[in-house]
Amino acid sequence: MKNLTRRDALKLASVGAAAALQSSTLSAVESPRTPTPVWEVFELVLKRPSAETPFPSAANPFIEAQLTAAFSLGHRTISVDGFYDGDGVYRIRFMPDVPGLWRYKTQSNLPQLDAQEGSFQATPPLPGAHGPVRVCNTHHFAYADNTPFFPFGTTSYAWIHQPEALQRQTLNTLRTAPFNKIRMCVFPKSYEYNHNEPALYPFERGAAGASDFTRPNPAFFRHLEQRIADLLSLGIEADLILFHPYDRWGFATMTPAQDEFYLRYLLSRLSAYRNIWWSLANEYDLMRAKSTADFDRLFHIVEAADPYQHLRSVHYSHTPYDYAQPWVTHASLQSSDFTAAPAHLAAWSKPVCYDEIMYEGNLNRRWGNISGDEMTRRFWLGLIAGCYVTHGETYLDPTQPFDENSTPTLFWAHGGPLKGTSPAQIAFLRKLIEETVSPANAVLGPVRIGLTAAVNPTYLNATAYAEDGKQAQTILYFFDFHQPIWSDFQLPPGVFAAEWIDPLSTTITPQPGMFSGKATLRLPGHPFMAVRFRLQPPV
Amino acid sequence: MKNLTRRDALKLASVGAAAALQSSTLSAVESPRTPTPVWEVFELVLKRPSAETPFPSAANPFIEAQLTAAFSLGHRTISVDGFYDGDGVYRIRFMPDVPGLWRYKTQSNLPQLDAQEGSFQATPPLPGAHGPVRVCNTHHFAYADNTPFFPFGTTSYAWIHQPEALQRQTLNTLRTAPFNKIRMCVFPKSYEYNHNEPALYPFERGAAGASDFTRPNPAFFRHLEQRIADLLSLGIEADLILFHPYDRWGFATMTPAQDEFYLRYLLSRLSAYRNIWWSLANEYDLMRAKSTADFDRLFHIVEAADPYQHLRSVHYSHTPYDYAQPWVTHASLQSSDFTAAPAHLAAWSKPVCYDEIMYEGNLNRRWGNISGDEMTRRFWLGLIAGCYVTHGETYLDPTQPFDENSTPTLFWAHGGPLKGTSPAQIAFLRKLIEETVSPANAVLGPVRIGLTAAVNPTYLNATAYAEDGKQAQTILYFFDFHQPIWSDFQLPPGVFAAEWIDPLSTTITPQPGMFSGKATLRLPGHPFMAVRFRLQPPV
């Protein structure tokens, strides 16, 4: 709990706890020295001996103990916060990023937790584990091991707050859906079509339902962690939304000290999960109790408390946050104005994620009823512009009564099955994009991560380059509502094969011949088509 | 030829003509005193007697005679320019705008043409004649008799320069097409897919093909007039483009004096046709030999020389002209950014015509290959924004070789048949829009001309109001790519019937019930739909 002063901590405590500190009777029990693969979670468990006296009822074990551990390998030392997990158990989690013998030593204001030492062996990463996602090549992303990551996100704000069977159905949907990132909230959601109470609350609640913001509910956080781990096992990044305005429980109106306590507790539990992204808020500008300066401060708290520097952004409703700020790793837009993409990319020199482009569905709301083809079209427009796009779905059962006070199962908030037509089309697009960097398709060695959008093109197009950034490997054209029967293409050096790509019917039709220089290609003459040129191996 | 000084006129003459003036032997023959209906053309013909000596070969009869006539009715006097029509004939054309006995008297530097007097009876307009189109109700148009005019324009830049059989086919197409305005050029066009020579040239040409810009070709202008008259008989306004950059004959690079001579000659011939609109240029900003100040000056010439003050605008490629200038009656945009419409309407307080929104077709050019559905969608977006939209079509026969140096029949330039799917959909929309002011549909008396677009609507909608501007009569909603299965509508006072409108399949499906106040309407749940609410008579 560094940066949170003792005075702050006392303010947070609902009862005076200073006396209790002296009488606490914890003692440490080391975790087994299991070897832990790189990018998995090593957990150090510190327990008070069961025979000893429990905390005095007036004490708050979430507050009293300040606990960190320093993990060292060679000359590197990483300081990691611990947390109280209830039932007399403290935990410290650590995600090693290189193999080797990591040594640790705890530090605490409680003598029983202080100066605990040990070590563990970090082994090479498990198959399929690539580490946390980072910014790579300015406007793009890659895992820590440099494997490209092209975000194809979806949205399910409150899926972890639904009945268990529905959550399992959501995970089952995600198992075969084309999405590798999900925008989801820590806190439950109170909004139109979102009226049910969650099974678990993030803080202890009194008889009248008021939260004690000094006492996190370990069961809530264990559940959240289980869902993060479930997503990890599916290869899905959790774009975790830390605050949002759609609240009836008081989570949107905590004090600055409560916000900080919550963030530090959350980060001490979750930072060691490699598939975490931090989204400071959904629609931060609709949170009336917080100013932009408050969000600057919350960003700094997250930046300081996260030993792994997971990706950080914030999402808006009307007023974009200043994505040029150095503590923001990428932009998270609510927009479908892809004509602004070149300016955004140039201005921010960061990846740009169009995280809310309206949802495929049939809702009585403008933001929740675009057609599946329009959703897919927006994915193409965004990708071809050199950005990334996030899906969402809001299909009402048309036989249900029209009632915003109901809580139907809309994937956007509740999860469950996907009903729309865009996911299959997005799967097709994802495969096309991932193929641009596939070693199998890179005829001249590795391909640079990410597509570079053309400037002032006749038609929208984006190119994947060889690692030197010079030799174009794959060029994707998207014709949107244009339907030419032929077009000239000024191709970069090399000999290219051409394919017609139908983004809606998800078909690929190879075209006869090879193309180079100023090439003329016959086109199908109907709208919403694409063309792919792929460099051929030198003869 | 007022405002053109004698010195200018001499400069224009390719040969010295001062001596010839003294020896000319014209004498006037009055036109028959036929009664002429209001808004038709009265023509005064002045001939030199056939027995007399022709002009000396060195003389230029287009230059020597300055000829005007003053037409008077009661206290009003309108000065009208005459013109030389070849074969020793001068003509003065006049379009009366009110019935009565109009007296006239000519004025000329040539004694034989000077002081010719007479009168004619202007009778009530012919059935179906409503006069020239004017701006009405700030952002809209009406004929002189206040009959609403909603422009549903098309484009055929060079149709009058094609073989006669093709011109007749174009007129035949227009007879049943939904268009009541056509953008067309005076001068022939030299561009990709436009390589044929015209049958007639606007000026006399020497053996080497150079034009004598002081000697208009009367046959050319008579042909142009015939086409204007043909359009008039079909109820179509001629949005006549006076200059354009796509030229290989020198018409785009005449001197300022030649430009003025051409304009005065053209206006003296055509102004009396009631279906004329003046478009100073197509893509004025691509005419490298002219500056914006040149166009200001050309506007002033047209403004001063047109006794009837026909509508005046100019069209651009990249840089909009300043449509706020008082000499511009309406905006003529090359744009499909309808989100800018509210700002344009507010800034200019004039009608806004989206005159080039790309063309329905399959060309190898981005501007010439949008789908028919996209063309129709743009008509809806424009109309619902309170503006007007112009169609164009560029369909190549896919079996033709791909060759921009060919001259296929593309309606956009050459006329001929229409091949696209949008005209039938535009016809449907035109009927819907015209019904908004139809007396048969106006349950509370006349309806104000034009649709007023809603500000910050949930969905795009536009309303037709009763004449007092208060009582909403018809409200049209367009849902674009949205596909709600229901929506709330905050209706204005009154009881409304509702219909589903399908703009693409052109069907209307009445919905059960009556609606008022905050009304909930079930919607079809697929994209590109519209809804119409119509006020019902008070019970």
Side-chain angles (χ1 to χ4, degrees):
Chain A
M1 306 229 295
K2 64 187 165 181
N3 291 346
L4 185 66
T5 65
R6 178 78 193 131
R7 192 155 155 256
D8 288 334
L10 283 174
K11 270 198 263 176
L12 282 169
S14 59
V15 294
L21 277 175
Q22 304 311 319
S23 62
S24 66
T25 53
L26 293 166
S27 76
V29 176
E30 266 187 48
S31 308
R33 286 200 180 84
T34 329
T36 302
V38 157
W39 299 318
E40 307 299 325
V41 180
F42 171 83
E43 189 171 89
L44 180 63
V45 183
L46 302 168
K47 273 187 187 161
R48 100 190 120 71
S50 56
E52 296 194 17
T53 321
F55 279 101
S57 65
N60 182 341
F62 294 98
I63 300 285
E64 289 94 344
Q66 290 152 44
L67 174 64
T68 64
F71 287 83
S72 303
L73 180 72
H75 67 287
R76 285 176 71 206
T77 298
I78 299 167
S79 176
V80 174
D81 292 332
F83 62 92
Y84 183 64
D85 196 27
D87 301 323
V89 175
Y90 286 86
R91 298 179 197 272
I92 303 179
R93 291 178 178 157
F94 176 66
M95 176 181 68
D97 60 355
V98 283
L101 186 70
W102 287 86
R103 301 181 181 283
Y104 60 82
K105 184 175 181 183
T106 67
Q107 192 170 20
S108 179
N109 58 333
L110 301 189
Q112 301 91 328
L113 301 179
D114 190 40
Q116 305 294 318
E117 288 185 74
S119 65
F120 76 96
Q121 188 69 38
T123 55
L126 296 175
H130 301 287
V133 174
R134 311 291 188 205
V135 171
C136 181
N137 192 14
T138 309
H139 295 131
H140 303 286
F141 298 98
Y143 294 100
D145 72 352
N146 256 4
T147 300
F149 178 79
F150 298 104
F152 282 80
T154 187
T155 309
S156 191
Y157 290 119
W159 75 280
I160 65 163
H161 303 292
Q162 307 308 314
E164 179 67 18
L166 183 51
Q167 293 181 56
R168 291 189 179 280
Q169 196 179 11
T170 305
L171 288 168
N172 209 39
T173 298
L174 291 172
R175 197 177 311 278
T176 53
F179 305 114
N180 58 14
K181 178 174 90 75
I182 187 165
R183 300 184 63 235
M184 56 184 279
C185 297
V186 174
F187 293 131
K189 180 169 179 174
S190 180
Y191 195 58
E192 21 188 84
Y193 298 118
N194 284 262
H195 302 286
N196 54 333
E197 285 291 316
L200 294 166
Y201 295 90
F203 298 98
E204 285 184 26
R205 281 153 62 93
S211 292
D212 179 349
F213 296 117
T214 68
R215 290 183 182 268
N217 175 5
F220 173 95
F221 287 92
R222 275 181 226 128
H223 172 71
L224 170 58
E225 286 153 11
Q226 180 58 51
R227 292 309 171 217
I228 303 280
D230 292 339
L231 293 172
L232 181 55
S233 74
L234 297 173
I236 297 174
E237 302 289 304
D239 195 354
L240 195 65
I241 296 166
L242 306 181
F243 295 94
H244 70 77
Y246 303 113
D247 175 66
R248 63 172 178 263
W249 303 275
F251 309 130
T253 51
M254 297 189 295
T255 65
Q258 287 165 348
D259 286 344
E260 178 165 358
F261 174 73
Y262 152 67
L263 283 182
R264 290 190 179 283
Y265 187 75
L266 184 80
L267 266 75
S268 66
R269 296 195 68 118
L270 291 183
S271 295
Y273 288 84
R274 68 173 180 271
N275 63 325
I276 283 282
W277 301 25
W278 308 120
S279 178
L280 266 287
N282 197 56
E283 300 188 330
Y284 85 100
D285 50 329
L286 300 190
M287 298 193 74
R288 295 188 189 170
K290 289 181 173 45
S291 67
T292 300
D294 287 326
F295 279 99
D296 295 348
R297 182 180 145 272
L298 297 173
F299 260 113
H300 295 317
I301 292 167
V302 171
E303 188 178 28
D306 173 5
Y308 316 102
Q309 296 299 299
H310 289 287
L311 294 165
R312 279 183 303 271
S313 194
V314 65
H315 164 275
Y316 62 89
S317 175
H318 297 295
T319 308
Y321 188 79
D322 181 1
Y323 295 110
Q325 295 290 7
W327 50 84
V328 183
T329 55
H330 62 285
S332 172
L333 308 184
Q334 175 158 185
S335 168
S336 46
D337 178 7
F338 300 102
T339 64
H344 290 332
L345 292 167
W348 298 326
S349 293
K350 292 174 187 177
V352 174
C353 297
Y354 282 80
D355 271 335
E356 191 178 340
I357 57 162
M358 301 185 174
Y359 309 116
E360 178 185 351
N362 61 8
L363 229 59
N364 60 319
R365 294 288 165 185
R366 204 167 169 276
W367 46 259
N369 60 23
I370 67 170
S371 67
D373 285 353
E374 178 66 16
M375 171 62 71
T376 299
R377 175 178 172 251
R378 291 177 183 201
F379 263 75
W380 275 83
L381 291 173
L383 266 289
I384 291 283
C387 301
Y388 298 98
V389 183
T390 300
H391 164 270
E393 182 183 292
T394 44
Y395 272 109
L396 284 171
D397 177 349
T399 63
Q400 287 174 341
F402 302 148
D403 180 7
E404 292 174 356
N405 296 318
S406 64
T407 301
T409 300
L410 306 174
F411 192 85
W412 146 80
H414 315 101
L418 284 165
K419 302 170 185 171
T421 54
S422 68
Q425 297 164 339
I426 292 167
F428 176 72
L429 174 57
R430 180 175 168 187
K431 182 167 175 292
L432 286 177
I433 297 293
E434 291 182 346
E435 279 176 0
T436 63
V437 296
S438 152
N441 287 289
V443 301
L444 299 175
V447 172
R448 197 166 165 174
I449 292 166
L451 293 161
T452 302
V455 177
N456 297 324
T458 302
Y459 297 104
L460 299 168
N461 66 84
T463 303
Y465 288 90
E467 206 165 29
D468 63 3
K470 288 176 185 160
Q471 175 62 57
Q473 299 280 310
T474 301
I475 311 167
L476 264 180
Y477 277 83
F478 179 53
F479 297 94
D480 202 8
F481 40 70
H482 298 282
Q483 51 177 15
I485 52 168
W486 66 284
S487 186
D488 289 328
F489 298 88
Q490 188 59 58
L491 295 173
V495 174
F496 291 80
E499 296 152 308
W500 291 357
I501 308 277
D502 188 330
L504 302 185
S505 74
T506 69
T507 54
I508 298 177
T509 311
Q511 295 302 296
M514 288 292 155
F515 300 85
S516 58
K518 186 180 172 187
T520 301
L521 180 66
R522 179 180 287 273
L523 294 167
H526 61 83
F528 304 114
M529 288 294 290
V531 161
R532 177 166 63 171
F533 288 103
R534 290 206 280 188
L535 188 66
Q536 299 303 296
V539 183
Chain B
M1 304 231 294
K2 63 187 166 179
N3 291 344
L4 186 63
T5 64
R6 179 77 193 131
R7 190 153 157 261
D8 288 336
L10 282 175
K11 271 199 266 175
L12 280 168
S14 59
V15 294
L21 276 176
Q22 305 309 320
S23 62
S24 67
T25 52
L26 293 166
S27 74
V29 176
E30 269 188 42
S31 308
R33 286 202 180 82
T34 330
T36 302
V38 156
W39 299 319
E40 306 299 326
V41 180
F42 171 82
E43 189 171 270
L44 180 64
V45 182
L46 302 168
K47 275 187 186 159
R48 98 188 124 70
S50 56
E52 296 191 18
T53 322
F55 280 101
S57 65
N60 183 341
F62 294 98
I63 300 286
E64 289 93 346
Q66 290 152 44
L67 174 64
T68 64
F71 286 83
S72 302
L73 179 73
H75 67 285
R76 287 176 69 207
T77 298
I78 298 166
S79 176
V80 174
D81 292 334
F83 62 92
Y84 182 63
D85 196 28
D87 301 324
V89 175
Y90 286 85
R91 298 179 197 274
I92 304 179
R93 290 176 179 159
F94 176 66
M95 177 181 67
D97 60 354
V98 283
L101 186 71
W102 287 85
R103 300 180 183 284
Y104 60 82
K105 185 176 180 182
T106 67
Q107 193 171 18
S108 179
N109 58 333
L110 300 189
Q112 301 93 326
L113 299 179
D114 190 41
Q116 304 294 320
E117 287 185 73
S119 66
F120 76 95
Q121 189 69 38
T123 56
L126 297 174
H130 301 287
V133 173
R134 311 290 188 206
V135 172
C136 181
N137 191 17
T138 309
H139 296 130
H140 303 284
F141 298 98
Y143 294 100
D145 73 352
N146 258 2
T147 301
F149 177 80
F150 299 104
F152 282 80
T154 188
T155 309
S156 193
Y157 290 119
W159 75 280
I160 66 165
H161 303 293
Q162 306 309 315
E164 178 66 19
L166 183 53
Q167 294 182 54
R168 293 191 178 280
Q169 196 181 10
T170 305
L171 288 167
N172 208 40
T173 298
L174 292 171
R175 197 178 311 279
T176 53
F179 305 114
N180 59 14
K181 178 173 89 74
I182 187 165
R183 300 183 64 234
M184 56 185 277
C185 297
V186 175
F187 293 131
K189 180 169 179 173
S190 180
Y191 195 60
E192 26 191 78
Y193 298 118
N194 283 262
H195 302 286
N196 54 333
E197 285 291 314
L200 295 166
Y201 294 90
F203 299 99
E204 285 184 24
R205 281 153 63 94
S211 291
D212 179 349
F213 297 117
T214 70
R215 291 183 182 268
N217 175 5
F220 173 94
F221 287 93
R222 275 182 225 125
H223 172 71
L224 170 59
E225 287 154 12
Q226 180 57 51
R227 292 309 172 218
I228 303 280
D230 292 338
L231 293 172
L232 181 55
S233 73
L234 297 173
I236 297 173
E237 302 289 305
D239 195 354
L240 196 65
I241 296 166
L242 306 182
F243 296 94
H244 69 76
Y246 303 113
D247 174 66
R248 64 173 178 262
W249 303 275
F251 310 131
T253 51
M254 297 189 294
T255 66
Q258 287 165 347
D259 286 343
E260 178 165 1
F261 173 73
Y262 152 67
L263 283 182
R264 291 190 179 283
Y265 187 75
L266 183 81
L267 265 75
S268 67
R269 296 195 67 119
L270 291 183
S271 295
Y273 290 84
R274 68 174 180 269
N275 62 327
I276 283 282
W277 301 25
W278 308 121
S279 178
L280 267 287
N282 198 56
E283 300 188 329
Y284 84 101
D285 51 330
L286 299 190
M287 298 193 73
R288 296 187 188 172
K290 289 181 173 44
S291 67
T292 300
D294 287 325
F295 278 100
D296 295 348
R297 180 179 146 272
L298 297 173
F299 260 113
H300 295 317
I301 292 167
V302 171
E303 187 178 30
D306 174 5
Y308 316 103
Q309 295 299 298
H310 289 286
L311 294 165
R312 279 183 302 272
S313 194
V314 66
H315 166 274
Y316 62 88
S317 175
H318 298 295
T319 309
Y321 188 79
D322 180 2
Y323 295 110
Q325 295 289 8
W327 50 83
V328 182
T329 56
H330 62 287
S332 173
L333 310 184
Q334 175 158 185
S335 168
S336 46
D337 178 7
F338 300 103
T339 64
H344 290 332
L345 292 166
W348 298 325
S349 293
K350 292 174 187 176
V352 174
C353 297
Y354 282 80
D355 271 336
E356 191 178 340
I357 57 163
M358 301 185 174
Y359 309 117
E360 178 186 352
N362 61 7
L363 230 58
N364 59 320
R365 293 288 164 186
R366 205 167 167 274
W367 46 258
N369 60 23
I370 66 170
S371 68
D373 285 352
E374 178 67 15
M375 171 63 71
T376 299
R377 174 178 173 251
R378 292 176 183 201
F379 263 75
W380 275 84
L381 292 173
L383 267 289
I384 291 283
C387 301
Y388 298 99
V389 183
T390 299
H391 163 271
E393 183 183 292
T394 44
Y395 272 109
L396 284 171
D397 177 348
T399 64
Q400 287 174 340
F402 302 149
D403 180 8
E404 292 174 356
N405 295 317
S406 64
T407 301
T409 300
L410 306 174
F411 193 85
W412 146 79
H414 315 101
L418 284 165
K419 301 170 185 170
T421 54
S422 70
Q425 297 163 340
I426 293 168
F428 176 72
L429 174 58
R430 180 175 169 188
K431 182 167 176 291
L432 286 177
I433 297 293
E434 291 182 345
E435 279 177 2
T436 64
V437 296
S438 152
N441 286 291
V443 302
L444 300 174
V447 172
R448 197 166 166 176
I449 293 166
L451 293 161
T452 301
V455 177
N456 297 324
T458 302
Y459 296 104
L460 298 168
N461 67 84
T463 303
Y465 287 91
E467 207 165 29
D468 63 3
K470 289 176 185 161
Q471 175 60 57
Q473 300 278 310
T474 302
I475 311 168
L476 264 180
Y477 278 83
F478 179 52
F479 296 95
D480 202 7
F481 41 68
H482 297 283
Q483 50 178 15
I485 52 168
W486 66 283
S487 185
D488 289 328
F489 297 88
Q490 188 59 57
L491 295 172
V495 174
F496 291 81
E499 296 152 308
W500 291 357
I501 308 276
D502 187 331
L504 302 185
S505 73
T506 72
T507 55
I508 299 177
T509 312
Q511 295 303 295
M514 288 293 156
F515 300 85
S516 58
K518 187 180 171 186
T520 301
L521 181 65
R522 181 181 286 271
L523 294 168
H526 61 83
F528 304 113
M529 288 293 290
V531 161
R532 177 165 64 171
F533 287 103
R534 289 207 282 187
L535 188 67
Q536 299 303 296
V539 185

